[in-house]
Amino acid sequence: MQRAANEVMQSVIFSAVLDALAALKTASGGLPNQLLRDVQAIHPNVTFADLPKELQDAIVASTRAAFSQLLKEGYAVGPRHQQQPSRPLDRVPERRGPGPDRRGPPSDRRPRGPGGPRRDPEGSGPGRGPRGPGGGPSRPRKPKGKPRLG
């Protein structure tokens, strides 16, 4: 059974982090102060060459393992121009040109005025909002500009 890409990537990243931590421990030679210095030397602007050799090797191995795990699970991995473009499934069915008018005969269609949809005489139609039939603000607006003192 094929796992979701999210699950595969989560397991790949989790094992890569564990491998990196083990490599940092190995690089420190079992010395806690050296391990602390190595961890503190890792920051957002660190380059790959700045990392300890053991950690570099662990990252290379984890990258290879990640790609082979994705391929094993059935996911395609490769350059974009070599991938076969797959068309996403349409969620909306295709339309086949102008078909018959579904609104009914012209006698059933009533023109709407410039005010938009018609309201019911009781005021419970689509034009009535949460602020009542007037639709205006429920409290007066705050005046703009500097307050007048005097």
Side-chain angles (χ1 to χ4, degrees):
M1 182 175 140
Q2 186 175 356
R3 295 189 304 169
N6 188 24
E7 293 176 12
V8 174
M9 287 307 299
Q10 185 178 12
S11 68
V12 162
I13 290 172
F14 181 72
S15 64
V17 168
L18 291 179
D19 292 344
L21 290 173
L24 276 173
K25 285 182 177 180
T26 304
S28 69
L31 301 172
N33 290 340
Q34 184 62 38
L35 176 62
L36 186 60
R37 282 189 203 106
D38 288 344
V39 170
Q40 287 177 340
I42 299 172
H43 52 81
N45 294 327
V46 72
T47 62
F48 185 74
D50 294 336
L51 298 174
K53 178 72 172 128
E54 291 82 358
L55 183 56
Q56 290 177 10
D57 294 341
I59 290 173
V60 169
S62 294
T63 305
R64 285 191 188 122
F67 280 111
S68 59
Q69 180 70 26
L70 285 170
L71 290 172
K72 181 180 142 191
E73 292 290 333
Y75 291 99
V77 179
R80 183 175 290 239
H81 65 276
Q82 290 180 354
Q83 298 273 331
Q84 291 181 350
S86 62
R87 192 171 150 240
L89 296 175
D90 291 333
R91 294 184 182 214
V92 179
E94 289 186 22
R95 296 189 178 159
R96 298 182 186 161
D101 193 2
R102 297 182 191 164
R103 296 183 291 175
S107 61
D108 289 349
R109 287 186 250 139
R110 295 184 194 125
R112 292 184 179 167
R118 295 182 305 273
R119 294 185 182 191
D120 291 341
E122 294 83 28
S124 63
R128 184 173 179 178
R131 295 184 178 146
S138 59
R139 59 183 173 186
R141 289 192 175 178
K142 192 175 182 181
K144 293 183 178 179
K146 294 184 177 180
R148 292 185 205 169
L149 300 175

